[in-house]
Amino acid sequence: MARMPSSDFVPVDGRDLAATRVRFLSSDQPEPSQVRAAILASWRRSRELQVAADKIELPYLHDPNFDTPLARSAEPVLRRLRERLDGQPISIILTDHSGLVLSRRTGIVELDRHLDRVLLAPGFSYAEQFVGTNGIGTALEAGTGTQVFGHEHYAEHLDNLACAGVPIRDPISGRTVGAVDLTCWRRDADSLLLVLAETTADQIREAMLNDTGVQELEVFRAYRRACRRTTGIVFAMTGDSVMVNDFARSVLEPADQAALLTQAAEVAETLEEGRRRSVVVGLPSGTAARMYCQRVGSDPRTTGIVVHVKLGVAEPRPVQRPQPSRMLLPGLVGDAPLWQRACQQVEAAFNANEWLAVAGEPGVGKLALLRAVQLRRNPARRFAEFDAADAESDPGWLDSVRQALLADADTVVLRHADRLDRRRLRALTAAFDDAAVRRADGSLWAAVTLRHTAPGPELDHLLRLFPVTVDVPPLRLHLDDLPALMSFFLGKLANGTQISCSPEAMRLLMRSPWPGNVEQVHELLHQVVRHRRVGSIQPRDLPPETRSMSRRTLSPLESMERDAIVRALNDSSGNKLAAARSLGMSRATIYRKIHEYGIVPGTD
């Protein structure tokens, strides 16, 4: 990697640079010779985004994921660097690709406290759009190593610091996954700060490569060969990662991407190593596609597949989508393979009278699936359901569970088992254990539901009584079921009237991440039918949050602002300037807010 020579580090510190910055913020254009080109470009971006220069107010992510492949690979590298710099006034900072701080290691207490005051701490984002010119955000924006010295910072509260940030790129995909930043007092900085940051980024990238399995490397090489041979749609999958080329991202709707990935996963399970297969797939958008699939690797546990896709192919016969098959359960819809597999596994456990744990995110339909299986297989069985959330408020809750297990029910379902404290978990485990002995004749079937959380010792003891675990997929992994879900729920909510979803509204809904899963779909449609009772649902009928794809949880105030912007855009037929005027915002502000909240313009 090319290094920045020492002669390139010529910061104009003190009064000259401070005065130049003040003139810039006062809308007077500084002379190009007074500010480095990269810094001036960042100042201009910061001003266009209307970043506050006189204060630091940053978004805070309350529950960020600190346990990422980047963080795990970087940990030993950063720990060794921290040991080498012990007692030195330098802070070592790791962020994700968006500038969100994942970790911070600081050599002296005084600097550590100052970084807390300027919110350069885990959970806060130092992206340029929030804090302006700085080593982290500007490096990520520019895509190259960047040093920002003293008054070159856009925010005045950072002018006593110097920082050098370098993007970290995934060694397999080449995409930026984060940044490493070294920050010190302005008086202690020199050109070696950037050199050290670049060396650290290289070491982290090498560690990520070492942590990558042989199978992933083999799949990646095959994927790159496919990308060189064609300019069309190419993607690759391993057991836990997906690589999609830029062309695919630009031409495929999210639902079509999901359908292709699901079909590729099915093909990978039956395709022999090195063999190819051509498959025609009907996509949710109505387009037919032909997939050319090649399996890579010999280990069946880590099957990889590389796929080249051609759209709009002539079909030799109508594409046969999976039918609502024999596995379709009462009151449930969806024929995506992942969803159907979960249904099949739950039903198989019921038929074998194997006690079952059903895991999945909130709202995926765990309880509905358990009810549907009993309704189909043996509706006469006595069904008892208990929610662990009621245990604290109901003194007789545990006694009720015991009674149902021993005599009152044939099927017992315990919801949210992972919410119980250790004392109640121990008591509940004893109750289930006792029931398993007393009703060994098979007259009792039991199931528990829980989130995807690592079990503690007490929960682990309980789960030993439930030898089968079924994972119910989140809606984002079977988005091709969304049209069927919409039709099903609208039929229940519309009270006999004719109401449907327009293609424009459906395309908008297909882009949503649906963090609340199927339950969120039902709640959204419940809101919609309050004011749209007949006809076709249009984008303007949808709640404002369907236009937002924000990467973070918004505060109540931010949600209100987002909703106001969406309504103004609707009222102005998508004209951003008119929407800004109606809200009393500048054009730059509304553009910044649209980007910050991930607002997707809609068309009616």
Side-chain angles (χ1 to χ4, degrees):
M1 172 182 286
R3 303 295 184 193
M4 177 180 288
S6 196
S7 58
D8 285 351
F9 180 75
V10 188
V12 183
D13 192 21
R15 296 178 181 178
D16 290 341
L17 183 57
T20 299
R21 178 179 168 278
V22 170
R23 287 198 301 273
F24 178 86
L25 294 175
S26 303
S27 298
D28 293 332
Q29 180 66 36
E31 292 296 326
S33 60
Q34 295 177 301
V35 183
R36 291 189 289 150
I39 298 300
L40 182 58
S42 177
W43 281 6
R44 287 169 176 162
R45 289 193 299 268
S46 304
R47 184 169 62 182
E48 179 68 17
L49 291 169
Q50 292 197 340
V51 176
D54 59 348
K55 59 183 177 180
I56 295 179
E57 293 180 348
L58 305 182
Y60 178 71
L61 188 61
H62 292 280
D63 190 23
N65 180 17
F66 295 128
D67 185 23
T68 64
L70 168 64
R72 290 194 295 270
S73 297
E75 168 61 29
V77 176
L78 300 182
R79 184 176 64 250
R80 288 193 300 269
L81 180 59
R82 169 65 178 82
E83 291 170 355
R84 289 172 54 197
L85 297 177
D86 187 35
Q88 299 298 313
I90 297 179
S91 183
I92 309 162
I93 297 155
L94 180 72
T95 80
D96 70 4
H97 69 282
S98 69
L100 178 73
V101 178
L102 300 177
S103 68
R104 187 186 78 196
R105 295 167 170 83
T106 309
I108 61 172
V109 174
E110 181 187 3
L111 179 59
D112 209 36
R113 289 173 178 170
H114 181 72
L115 296 183
D116 281 340
R117 287 194 292 271
V118 296
L119 305 182
L120 184 46
F124 290 97
S125 175
Y126 250 65
E128 240 186 19
Q129 68 188 86
F130 300 123
V131 77
T133 307
N134 73 94
I136 294 169
T138 304
L140 289 170
E141 188 70 29
T144 188
T146 302
Q147 182 150 323
V148 180
F149 182 90
H151 294 289
E152 290 180 333
H153 287 93
Y154 192 80
E156 63 183 30
H157 290 79
L158 303 177
D159 60 12
N160 59 349
L161 298 174
C163 48
V166 179
I168 302 170
R169 292 181 175 83
D170 187 282
I172 299 299
S173 67
R175 296 186 179 276
T176 299
V177 293
V180 62
D181 172 85
L182 302 181
T183 293
C184 66
W185 298 118
R186 181 182 65 198
R187 62 178 180 267
D188 298 320
D190 61 29
S191 60
L192 293 179
L193 196 66
L194 182 59
V195 174
L196 182 57
E198 289 178 329
T199 301
T200 304
D202 285 347
Q203 291 173 350
I204 293 173
R205 187 174 183 275
E206 184 177 348
M208 293 178 68
L209 187 61
N210 292 335
D211 291 341
T212 301
V214 174
Q215 172 70 10
E216 285 79 5
L217 289 174
E218 190 175 355
V219 174
F220 174 66
R221 294 189 185 105
Y223 165 73
R224 293 302 298 267
R225 287 195 298 269
C227 289
R228 286 194 295 269
R229 288 195 300 264
T230 177
T231 57
I233 297 169
V234 180
F235 66 88
M237 301 172 62
T238 63
D240 57 3
S241 63
V242 176
M243 291 169 276
V244 181
N245 69 347
D246 290 337
F247 182 74
R249 297 178 191 276
S250 66
V251 302
L252 290 175
E253 293 284 340
D256 289 351
Q257 289 186 34
L260 289 170
L261 293 173
T262 300
Q263 184 65 44
E266 288 192 328
V267 172
E269 291 182 355
T270 58
L271 195 59
E272 296 180 4
E273 180 187 3
R275 298 296 299 274
R276 292 178 170 85
R277 181 182 300 172
S278 171
V279 180
V280 176
V281 183
L283 302 179
S285 63
T287 303
R290 182 176 293 277
M291 299 169 50
Y292 299 89
C293 310
Q294 179 181 4
R295 176 174 160 176
V296 181
S298 57
D299 189 343
R301 297 169 299 176
T302 56
T303 298
I305 190 169
V306 177
V307 182
H308 171 218
V309 181
K310 290 184 178 180
L311 296 177
V313 298
E315 301 176 51
R317 58 182 180 276
V319 176
Q320 298 295 318
R321 285 181 58 80
Q323 297 298 314
S325 66
R326 55 187 173 81
M327 288 309 306
L328 191 62
L329 298 169
L332 303 181
V333 295
D335 54 15
L338 286 176
W339 169 249
Q340 286 283 302
R341 182 180 302 172
C343 294
Q344 184 177 11
Q345 290 172 339
V346 172
E347 190 167 22
F350 184 94
N351 292 339
N353 205 46
E354 288 185 306
W355 288 12
L356 175 73
V358 182
E361 297 176 6
V364 295
K366 300 185 290 290
L367 180 61
L369 179 51
L370 291 168
R371 285 174 172 167
V373 165
Q374 167 155 319
L375 187 60
R376 173 174 174 171
R377 305 306 302 181
N378 194 342
R381 289 175 68 103
R382 297 168 296 169
F383 186 95
E385 167 204 333
F386 298 92
D387 193 334
D390 299 330
E392 288 191 18
S393 58
D394 181 1
W397 182 85
L398 187 57
D399 290 336
S400 299
V401 176
R402 287 196 187 98
Q403 185 63 28
L405 287 171
L406 295 177
D408 288 355
D410 303 311
T411 296
V412 174
V413 173
L414 173 66
R415 300 176 63 198
H416 308 128
D418 47 332
R419 295 187 183 180
L420 290 169
D421 59 29
R422 285 185 293 179
R423 180 179 62 83
R424 291 188 176 90
L425 272 172
R426 285 194 295 268
L428 198 65
T429 300
F432 273 102
D433 202 8
D434 189 25
V437 173
R438 294 196 190 189
R439 301 182 68 174
D441 57 355
S443 60
L444 173 67
W445 186 66
V448 296
T449 73
L450 62 156
R451 296 166 295 179
H452 289 292
T453 54
E458 302 301 337
L459 182 58
D460 191 47
H461 285 309
L462 174 65
L463 293 181
R464 288 174 185 170
L465 299 172
F466 298 84
V468 178
T469 298
V470 172
D471 291 312
V472 180
L475 181 57
R476 63 181 175 274
L477 295 186
H478 60 109
L479 262 181
D480 41 336
D481 282 336
L482 182 60
L485 283 167
M486 297 277 292
S487 178
F488 176 73
F489 287 144
L490 285 173
K492 295 176 65 175
L493 294 168
N495 296 320
T497 60
Q498 294 296 318
I499 183 170
S500 61
C501 186
S502 70
E504 295 81 8
M506 184 61 72
R507 281 196 294 270
L508 196 60
L509 294 172
M510 281 291 195
R511 296 190 181 102
S512 173
W514 296 108
N517 295 295
V518 176
E519 186 177 328
Q520 184 184 0
V521 177
H522 184 271
E523 178 58 31
L524 180 143
L525 292 177
H526 185 69
Q527 296 178 41
V528 169
V529 298
R530 290 176 182 173
H531 59 84
R532 164 67 72 180
R533 298 179 181 85
V534 294
S536 180
I537 298 172
Q538 301 298 324
R540 61 177 175 271
D541 299 317
L542 299 174
E545 62 263 23
T546 62
R547 299 282 182 89
S548 175
M549 300 175 67
S550 176
R551 296 189 299 267
R552 60 184 177 84
T553 302
L554 302 183
S555 69
L557 186 59
E558 289 173 324
S559 296
M560 292 172 62
E561 184 176 51
R562 176 204 61 196
D563 294 355
I565 293 172
V566 170
R567 284 192 292 268
L569 288 169
N570 284 341
D571 293 343
S572 61
S573 300
N575 186 309
K576 299 181 181 66
L577 187 57
R581 281 198 297 264
S582 70
L583 294 170
M585 289 181 178
S586 69
R587 180 175 63 178
T589 297
I590 198 168
Y591 272 90
R592 175 167 60 87
K593 295 293 185 180
I594 287 172
H595 174 74
E596 178 182 347
Y597 297 145
I599 295 173
V600 180
T603 56
D604 289 351

